[in-house]
Amino acid sequence: MSRKMKNKVITNLLIERIASEGKCVGYHEGKVVFVSNVAPGDMVDVRITRGKSSFMEGEAINFHEYSKDRIDPFCSHFGVCGGCKWQHINYDLQKNYKRQQVVDQFQRIAKVPIPEVAPILGSSETKYYRNKLDFTFSNSRWLTREEINSGKEFERNALGFHIPKMFDKIVDIEHCYLQGGISNNVRNSLREFALSNQLSFYDIRNQVGLLRNLIIRTTSMGQTMVIVQFGENDPESIPMVMEFLKNKFPEITSLLYVINTKGNETFHDLEIVNYAGLPYIEEEMEGLKFRVGPKSFYQTNSKQAYELYKVARDFAELKGDEVVYDLYTGTGTIANFVAKNAKQVIGVEYVEAAIEDAKLNSQINGIENTLFYAGDMKDILTEDFISNHAKPDVVITDPPRAGMHEDVVNMLLRLESPTIVYVSCNPATQARDVALLAEKYQVERIQPVDMFPQTYHVENVVRLTLKS
Ligand SMILES: C[S@@+](CC[C@H](N)C(=O)[O-])C[C@H]1O[C@@H](n2cnc3c(N)ncnc32)[C@H](O)[C@@H]1O
């Protein structure tokens, strides 16, 4: 950053529009200024934190006027917790902004002709829509400025979410509006139990402490999975904690724990102990059951996942005799969902355990026309693979945020399947990939879907067809 710009304050900057990643934009002397935690229509003073020749980034330090579109956030943790950054914007506007992001990314990055972008499919639930939350125990609770200034002693143990950009600070959550059912009750009761029994909360810096992490998963079928991660193998305290949860919450249908003494909280490589109930929960869609184990991925907004999958199926325009490739299939949810409308579906995915789940999900639903393969997409999707299988009539692809590897895009260009349905949780990388695919494909339909109300995240589905 040029020294001249460092800490410079721009006064009376009008915030004009939303940009990507939840930032907003104002203009100063012809330059774009990206600002976080504001809303279009705000008039603010901004301290510049980063300056480049073409843009600046900054933080609002003073509000002269608040946007008329602002609403009061409903959560007491808003502003500190990184979870729902758009609670100050009403839901209709959130939806418009998300749709606009898709339009902007396709105009700026894809730079290809596109049809009218359909209005975003809103989520019927804008609170309590998540089926999975992940809480961290910490002995380093985030203290407010007032608490610090008061000079008093405060409880330092916490169970909640990480403060954005501070790996060791946890905001203690009293009520989270993202997950319904017994979620808030389980978290608060377990924290209370741990405090009153002087059980140690994890010390993230020194990597010691008994209670490390709590995952709660719920399903639309009313089941609940609770996974407790312990940072120490303590044969007395672990059963005490698990017994407490088992007795206090008979609603928990799958009660599990894992001892994790590694440097990070991921547990895909660790043994999960099934303490009580079943080792899985189940989701349901159109009569199909999807088994979700502790290590399985499942879209976190179940109701809206169904809407998303219906859009993908609709865009695929299947008649029943097609070979479909479902790339980045995860636990094979899309593959199994469209299987009855296709001759054969081939799913490919990196995570081996997910592929095992995908096969199991076909099996428990009596689906016999699916095949699943595990491996890195760019290594699996080769000329050999294609000559050993039927060529696809339709490719459905749902890559992670980084989008598709260039080798995969090039393979799709060589494959020339008549239709590609591209599902994405990041329209910027989707637009980049569509620009490459535009050598042979045209964009026929675009449908954004809102999976995550109160956040800036947007899911987008595009139907591409081979140019004649
Ligand atoms: C957005 S999720 C798609 C999930 C799935 N379609 C669903 O709706 O449940 C992306 C998936 O891509 C997988 N993945 C990421 N990188 C990969 C790669 N290089 N090769 C194959 N799969 C990959 C991830 O493991 C993840 O399951």
Side-chain angles (χ1 to χ4, degrees), residues 297 299 309 328-330 333-334 349-351 375-377 398-400:
F297 171 85
Q299 289 280 356
Y309 296 152
Y328 308 90
T329 191
T333 322
I334 297 181
E349 156 67 37
Y350 195 69
V351 178
D376 194 323
M377 197 62 63
D398 183 7

Side-chain angles (χ1 to χ4, degrees), residues 5 8-16 25-35 44 46 48 52-56:
M5 296 307 303
K8 181 178 165 175
V9 173
I10 299 170
T11 53
N12 293 302
L13 184 78
L14 175 66
I15 301 301
E16 297 192 21
V25 160
Y27 295 90
H28 177 71
E29 294 175 354
K31 247 191 204 180
V32 175
V33 187
F34 292 102
V35 191
V44 289
V46 174
I48 299 303
K52 293 269 173 203
S53 55
S54 57
F55 70 90
M56 292 182 269

Side-chain angles (χ1 to χ4, degrees), residues 28-292:
H28 177 71
E29 294 175 354
K31 247 191 204 180
V32 175
V33 187
F34 292 102
V35 191
S36 303
N37 303 324
V38 290
D42 286 344
M43 178 76 85
V44 289
D45 295 340
V46 174
R47 180 184 293 120
I48 299 303
T49 51
R50 189 169 170 223
K52 293 269 173 203
S53 55
S54 57
F55 70 90
M56 292 182 269
E57 277 178 21
E59 54 184 10
I61 51 168
N62 186 26
F63 285 78
H64 294 286
E65 260 174 54
Y66 283 109
S67 163
K68 63 175 180 10
D69 295 326
R70 274 180 176 263
I71 53 167
D72 287 335
F74 46 80
C75 178
S76 63
H77 303 297
F78 177 78
V80 180
C81 166
C84 305
K85 292 204 159 175
W86 273 12
Q87 272 183 30
H88 61 305
I89 297 171
N90 77 55
Y91 189 53
D92 281 341
L93 270 180
Q94 288 183 23
K95 287 191 289 184
N96 291 346
Y97 290 149
K98 291 187 192 206
R99 177 185 173 277
Q100 192 56 44
Q101 266 187 60
V102 172
V103 174
D104 290 351
Q105 306 287 26
F106 272 78
Q107 279 172 355
R108 291 208 193 103
I109 301 171
K111 295 188 177 126
V112 295
I114 55 166
E116 175 73 9
V117 175
I120 191 165
L121 259 182
S123 175
S124 57
E125 284 163 3
T126 56
K127 289 178 188 161
Y128 305 115
Y129 60 80
R130 281 186 69 104
N131 57 29
K132 182 178 177 217
L133 283 182
D134 204 315
F135 301 102
T136 301
F137 289 89
S138 167
N139 66 353
S140 182
R141 180 170 75 84
W142 170 257
L143 296 177
T144 61
R145 179 76 26 219
E146 296 79 60
E147 282 174 321
I148 293 167
N149 291 344
S150 74
K152 290 184 193 153
E153 281 291 309
F154 288 94
E155 174 60 62
R156 295 305 306 268
N157 287 321
L159 174 55
F161 297 126
H162 285 271
I163 299 276
K165 295 184 187 154
M166 289 192 186
F167 83 101
D168 65 334
K169 289 279 179 284
I170 296 294
V171 55
D172 201 40
I173 297 291
E174 280 164 24
H175 188 95
C176 178
Y177 288 88
L178 284 173
Q179 189 175 35
I182 56 173
S183 177
N184 280 299
N185 203 356
V186 169
R187 186 199 54 249
N188 292 346
S189 304
L190 181 55
R191 175 178 41 224
E192 227 177 276
F193 178 79
L195 290 174
S196 56
N197 287 282
Q198 277 104 45
L199 300 176
S200 58
F201 285 47
Y202 204 66
D203 179 332
I204 301 172
R205 280 193 182 271
N206 296 311
Q207 312 228 315
V208 287
L210 177 74
L211 289 158
R212 187 165 186 181
N213 173 287
L214 169 72
I215 295 171
I216 304 175
R217 300 182 83 158
T218 43
T219 74
S220 41
M221 296 172 81
Q223 302 168 348
T224 303
M225 173 183 281
V226 173
I227 311 163
V228 184
Q229 271 199 59
F230 294 98
E232 289 167 2
N233 189 356
D234 177 339
E236 272 173 32
S237 305
I238 291 175
M240 195 171 108
V241 170
M242 300 312 289
E243 205 54 20
F244 164 74
L245 288 170
K246 185 178 152 196
N247 294 331
K248 170 110 185 153
F249 296 101
E251 305 94 319
I252 298 175
T253 53
S254 173
L255 181 58
L256 315 167
Y257 74 86
V258 54
I259 296 166
N260 182 359
T261 52
K262 293 188 308 171
N264 60 55
E265 281 183 7
T266 60
F267 58 82
H268 58 272
D269 49 348
L270 298 176
E271 190 205 344
I272 310 271
V273 181
N274 186 10
Y275 190 78
L278 294 168
Y280 58 82
I281 46 177
E282 281 175 324
E283 267 299 349
E284 196 262 339
M285 256 188 284
E286 294 186 354
L288 295 179
K289 285 214 166 85
F290 294 93
R291 207 170 267 196
V292 183

